[in-house]
Structure formats: structure tokens, C-alpha cells
Amino acid sequence: MKQNSSALKQTQKVWKRLADMLPIVGITMGFFLFFQGIAQPWIGLDGSDGALFSSIAHNYLQFGVFDLNFGQLITFEEISHPGGTYYLHHPPLFPLLVMTSFSLFGEAEIFARLVSVLATLATAIVLFALVKKAANTRVGIMSVFFFMTYPSTILFGRKPGYEALTLFFVILAVWLYLKYRDRPSLGTMFLLFCAVAAGAASDWAAYFLPPAILTHYLLMRKDQRMDWTLLSGLIFVPTVTLILFLISIYYVDKESLLGLLHQGLAYTGFISANSEIAKTIIEAKITFSPKEYFFRIVQNFNTDFGIISALLALIGIVFIRRNKEMSGIVIILSVVAFGILVIFWRSLYFHQWWMHLMTVPLAILSAEAINSILSLADNDRPSHEQATKAGITVAVILPVLISMLFNVWQLGNIQTRIQREDRLEKPDFIPELGHYIRRSTAIGDQILTNLAPISKYLTNPYSKILPYYSRRTIHPSITTPDQIFRLISQENNRPKGAIYFLLELDVAKDLASSGLYTWLKNNGDMTALNIQGHSFQLFRLKTINHI
């Protein structure tokens, strides 16, 4: 009997260790994939925003934050005086932090991603502390497991942009609010207001947080006394942050205030595709049917989280009602995540990473679902309890990990390309081409090219990515001499320096009928170049007539 009892205890220990280790293994895999390719060039899903915010940070360093009035100067070209286009759709905290990273470590892709990486890691830490306090350690670990294995976290949690940073400040503010509610102190209140201000200085989604906290406080306060300092601060802090941002826009470009309003209305669907305003807003021009919208959202959700996450979240909603503290946390976070998505619903169609705010509430709901299912095993016979728990854990974790690996592989293999798909293009091809253009030309020169965006790829490499690496203006899709004349004759394109034409030779073979190749040979000085086995000709054009 003693031997059987000893063997049973040993078996239970094995099953318990297996059940405890699997989430840790999953978290480790998530961290490994999260850091994979962290230094890669701007050629993936984060390429466009990476080039954008890196350029803004570069200009902050070059001209000074105060001299630019905190304006987010996009201009990719090398310039000696501030001028060009400003990015004013979002508050400036993220590029300011990227600027800080660049000033400390140097300008590179890895240091642009560093801000989002640190924000995501900090989010995982706060998430664990928040859930552990509200529930228990097991639910805290499972929350981090789901959070770190979502493809959205692995890919968009390191993407340069406001998503990861905003999510961190939101969950930090929630944690500080609950801490202040339980043990009020001026220090905790100050940190709470700082987190709210930082979130509001990062993205519009954070403006949904103060009303969510206010509502939670009014409904769930433990005594009749009203904390007017807390309530007034939650109204005052985001309001002042917004006013300061609008003032900075006013000093940078007064007309952009109206443009900001139009952009927001376009995302809410209030601007018709045929209106005059839509002519200046790309997203307003694009139309789609309800069916197309629905399937796009479902597809994006599946690749960002996996359908199993939706199932677990629904189960979690059923069980989490038993824990008022956890329910309150999820409701606050869901108001922030879904509030911005519902109001700016059209943006979901264009920006897959907007769903990233859903990672934390989904992770908490999924963890609560697993915890509640595992609790059912407590009623099983002692000899089967640990085996049942381990079996449940394996049955959930394996599909999650398989879904994670597949979706991360699928999204991670999306590459912004210049060459056709049938030709080999290494990850560092666009940076190398850009660096060659920069070395071969001077400040103020413009680059025309017969290279054109590939329609099947979401990102246009000639609008941000190649200009960032070359620090030159790029005009793609030029296939005839008449296009050259028309482009340069436009007032805003009149060249300050020389004009170059980058000719991709394989494409040039198809342009014989247009006369472009012959015209370039007669009107330009040619330099042949070979970049990673791809042949180009760079023409420095002579005086251009017919302007």
C-alpha cells in the first residue's frame, strides 16, 4: 500500500510539474520570437511606420524639439533648415522617446524598436502584478502566457508606433488607480496622473481611459466619501494634455487643425468618398462593402490572436463575473480598446495593428477561462486531479502555440519588395540601394525611377522606406519622357539640385516602345551599378527642356 501511495504521489508531482511548466515554456517561446529580427531593416509590416517615426526622431535631433515646436517633421530628405510635411495625426510622445533612444545609442532600426519593446515588456510585468493581485499567481502567469504568445504582441508589440506605448500607459494607470483606491496617497495619485498624461500624449485611445476609471470609481467606491481630487484630476490632466497638443499644432501649421479633424471624420465614416475633402484623404476614397469589411476584420483578428482566443474570451466572460475586481479591470481595459475601435471603425480596415489594444483584456479573459476550467478538476478524484489539470493545460496551450507559430510565420514573411516576386531580394537590398543613391547624389537632388509599387503589397516602398534610407525624394512609376516633363514642371517639384533617373534594366526592356530608354541615353550621363546581382543604370540628366 505504501509503495502504491508513493508511486501515486510521484505521478501527481510529474503531472503538476508538467502543468506548471507548459505556460512557462510558451512564454519563453513568445519572448524568443518577440526578439527575433528586432534589428531587421524597414521591410516588414512595421516598415512604413518605422521609417516614418525614425525620420521624425532624426529631425528632432537635427533641429531641436523646441525649435520645431514639438512638430513631428516627416521630411526624409537631407535638409539644412526645417521645412516640409509634418505628421500631426497623433500626439508626439512616441517619436520623442525614439529621439531619446537615438541620442543615447545611435540611429538604427533596433533602437527605434527599443521604445516599443520596453513598453511591451513593461506591460507584461504590470499585467502579471495586476492579475496576481486581483486573482492569483496561476491566472497571472496564464495572462502573461496569452499576452506574449499573441502574434499581435510578437509583431506589433515591437513595431515603432503608438500602440505598444499607449497600451503600457493604460494598464499602468489602471494598476495605479486600483492601488490608490485601496491605499490612497499623494505619491500614487501623482504617478496615476502622470500615466494618464503620458497615455494621452501617445494616442487618442488613452482618452477613453479617464471616463472608464471615473465610471468604475463612482459605481464601485467602498465608502460614501467622494474623492474630488481624483475625479477632477482625471478630467483636468487629459484636457490639458490635449490643449497643449493642439497648441503645438497651431504653432507648427494652423491649417493642420482642420486636417486633423477631417482625418478623424474620415475614420468615423462621416466623409463621403465623392466629397471634396476625400480628395486629400486616401482612406476616405477607399470604399468597401459590409461583407468585405466583416471578412477583413475576422481575418485580421484570426492572424493577430487566433480564433481559439475568441472562444476562450467568451468562456472567460461567463466565469469572470464571479470576481468583481477582475471584472472591473477587464471592463476598463475593454472600454479603451473597443471605444477607439468602434468610433474610428474604418481605420480597422486599413490598420491591422489597431487591434493590439485588445491583447490585454483578451489575455485576462482567456486566463480566467483556463483557471475556471482547471478549478473543475479540483472536484476530481485525488489520483486523477493533477493528470486532469495537465491534460487541460496541454489541450489549450498546444493549439495556442501552433496558431502562434503559424500566424507569426505568415505575418513575419511579409516583405516589402522592389523587385518582382520571381527574383531574389535580400532583406538588406532596399537599405543598400538607398545608401548607394545617397552616396552618388547630393542634397537637394531628386530621383526619378521606372520602378513602381507592386500592387499585391500593402506598403509602397517609395513613399517612406527608400526615401528614408536614401535621404532623397523618390518619384516612382516614370515610364515616358513626357511624365518627366510634367512632373518637373509642377511648381512644388521644380528641382533645387540635379535630377537623376534610376533605371531598372529588366523593366527597361519592356519600355522600348515608350522611347524612355533612348531618351535617357541621349539626355543623361550614365553610371552602371550592380546591387546584390540586380542591374541598374543611374542617369544624371542634362538640362531638361519643355518645362
Side-chain angles (χ1 to χ4, degrees):
M1 289 291 293
K2 290 183 178 180
Q3 290 181 347
N4 291 338
S5 177
S6 176
L8 177 60
K9 289 181 179 179
Q10 190 64 32
T11 302
Q12 288 177 339
K13 287 182 179 180
V14 171
W15 283 114
K16 186 178 186 302
R17 287 174 183 173
L18 178 62
D20 292 340
M21 285 178 58
L22 279 174
I24 304 300
V25 171
I27 292 172
T28 303
M29 289 178 61
F31 274 111
F32 175 78
L33 293 174
F34 180 69
F35 286 103
Q36 190 95 3
I38 197 175
Q40 75 171 8
W42 304 127
I43 58 166
L45 284 173
D46 65 351
S48 183
D49 278 357
L52 171 70
F53 290 112
S54 293
S55 184
I56 294 171
H58 174 94
N59 292 326
Y60 273 145
L61 283 174
Q62 181 177 354
F63 300 112
V65 174
F66 293 101
D67 289 341
L68 291 175
N69 294 313
F70 289 86
Q72 302 171 66
L73 181 61
I74 297 175
T75 306
F76 297 99
E77 299 77 24
E78 283 184 283
I79 51 178
S80 55
H81 301 285
T85 305
Y86 286 84
Y87 178 81
L88 301 170
H89 294 168
H90 292 89
L93 182 58
F94 179 78
L96 287 171
L97 292 175
V98 175
M99 175 204 69
T100 304
S101 178
F102 284 176
S103 66
L104 292 173
F105 308 111
E107 184 173 346
E109 293 90 347
I110 186 172
F111 300 126
R113 292 187 178 100
L114 181 62
V115 176
S116 296
V117 166
L118 293 178
T120 297
L121 296 178
T123 298
I125 294 171
V126 177
L127 173 62
F128 175 75
L130 184 67
V131 176
K132 179 185 176 183
K133 183 177 184 299
N136 55 55
T137 301
R138 182 169 70 183
V139 183
I141 291 174
M142 291 302 299
S143 295
V144 175
F145 163 76
F146 284 108
F147 175 72
M148 285 307 306
T149 54
Y150 286 146
S152 179
T153 299
I154 293 170
L155 296 174
F156 302 136
R158 68 188 187 194
K159 182 186 81 69
Y162 41 83
E163 298 85 9
L165 189 65
T166 305
L167 182 60
F168 165 64
F169 287 125
V170 166
I171 192 171
L172 177 64
V174 172
W175 180 70
L176 289 168
Y177 157 66
L178 294 175
K179 184 177 180 181
Y180 174 81
R181 184 203 61 184
D182 295 337
R183 298 184 65 182
S185 71
L186 290 177
T188 304
M189 179 185 287
F190 175 76
L191 292 176
L192 168 60
F193 290 158
C194 287
V196 171
S202 302
D203 184 31
W204 305 112
Y207 284 90
F208 288 85
L209 179 62
I213 292 178
L214 281 170
T215 304
H216 182 272
Y217 174 79
L218 293 173
L219 294 177
M220 305 295 292
R221 69 182 190 275
K222 299 178 180 180
D223 55 48
Q224 296 301 315
R225 291 180 301 172
M226 195 74 73
D227 192 332
W228 292 107
T229 306
L230 174 67
L231 298 181
S232 58
L234 288 172
I235 297 173
F236 177 77
V237 169
T239 302
V240 171
T241 306
L242 176 61
I243 291 173
L244 291 175
F245 176 51
L246 295 178
I247 290 174
S248 72
I249 294 178
Y250 180 82
Y251 278 107
V252 170
D253 185 2
K254 299 177 184 178
E255 297 180 358
S256 293
L257 285 171
L258 187 60
L260 178 64
L261 176 62
H262 289 163
Q263 187 74 37
L265 291 174
Y267 283 151
T268 59
F270 286 116
I271 294 180
S272 169
N274 300 320
S275 66
E276 286 296 317
I277 297 175
K279 293 180 180 179
T280 60
I281 303 175
I282 297 175
E283 292 87 351
K285 298 178 185 178
I286 301 174
T287 59
F288 43 79
S289 66
K291 178 181 177 181
E292 290 173 326
Y293 181 82
F294 174 77
F295 281 107
R296 171 70 68 86
I297 301 307
V298 171
Q299 180 184 15
N300 287 346
F301 183 91
N302 185 36
T303 52
D304 282 358
F305 305 103
I307 295 299
I308 190 174
S309 297
L311 175 61
L312 290 172
L314 290 174
I315 296 174
I317 291 173
V318 174
F319 288 108
I320 204 170
R321 294 178 300 172
R322 299 176 300 183
N323 187 329
K324 290 185 177 181
E325 187 79 341
M326 288 278 281
S327 298
I329 292 170
V330 170
I331 290 173
I332 293 173
L333 294 171
S334 297
V335 167
V336 176
F338 292 98
I340 191 75
L341 299 181
V342 170
I343 291 180
F344 299 113
W345 60 274
R346 280 180 61 88
S347 184
L348 269 177
Y349 188 83
F350 308 108
H351 305 123
Q352 184 172 354
W353 42 85
W354 264 47
M355 289 186 178
H356 185 65
L357 289 170
M358 298 167 59
T359 52
V360 170
L362 283 176
I364 295 175
L365 287 172
S366 298
E368 180 60 30
I370 299 304
N371 181 61
S372 299
I373 295 173
L374 289 175
S375 296
L376 299 177
D378 293 336
N379 299 322
D380 205 346
R381 286 181 296 172
S383 60
H384 295 164
E385 178 186 340
Q386 297 301 334
T388 302
K389 289 183 176 180
I392 293 172
T393 306
V394 171
V396 172
I397 287 181
L398 280 184
V400 169
L401 293 180
I402 292 171
S403 175
M404 172 195 73
L405 291 171
F406 176 77
N407 289 330
V408 168
W409 175 82
Q410 188 179 40
L411 291 173
N413 280 337
I414 295 176
Q415 178 182 345
T416 300
R417 296 172 55 92
I418 284 180
Q419 299 293 328
R420 295 193 304 265
E421 201 169 39
D422 60 338
R423 306 187 68 190
L424 175 65
E425 182 172 330
K426 296 181 180 179
D428 61 345
F429 175 77
I430 294 180
E432 188 172 336
L433 176 62
H435 295 154
Y436 180 89
I437 292 173
R438 185 178 183 182
R439 292 194 305 269
S440 304
T441 59
I443 296 175
D445 293 348
Q446 295 193 38
I447 313 299
L448 284 58
T449 180
N450 61 335
L451 290 167
I454 301 174
S455 59
K456 69 174 290 185
Y457 298 121
L458 182 65
T459 304
N460 173 7
Y462 309 103
S463 63
K464 297 174 185 175
I465 300 173
L466 187 57
Y468 172 74
Y469 286 115
S470 65
R471 310 302 295 181
R472 301 289 182 265
T473 301
I474 307 292
H475 299 286
S477 307
I478 307 296
T479 57
T480 67
D482 286 342
Q483 284 181 283
I484 298 177
F485 300 142
R486 287 197 300 270
L487 178 69
I488 300 176
S489 64
Q490 298 173 10
E491 187 65 30
N492 59 339
N493 287 322
R494 288 187 179 276
K496 298 177 182 178
I499 300 176
Y500 287 82
F501 197 102
L502 179 68
L503 188 72
E504 206 276 326
L505 290 182
D506 282 355
V507 179
K509 295 174 183 177
D510 302 327
L511 299 176
S513 60
S514 70
L516 175 64
Y517 191 40
T518 302
W519 186 89
L520 289 172
K521 289 194 294 184
N522 294 333
N523 293 275
D525 298 323
M526 186 271 289
T527 301
L529 58 141
N530 186 290
I531 298 178
Q532 297 184 0
H534 301 293
S535 298
F536 296 87
Q537 290 180 351
L538 185 64
F539 292 86
R540 189 181 193 277
L541 301 185
K542 303 171 185 177
T543 303
I544 297 180
N545 300 315
H546 309 108
I547 296 180

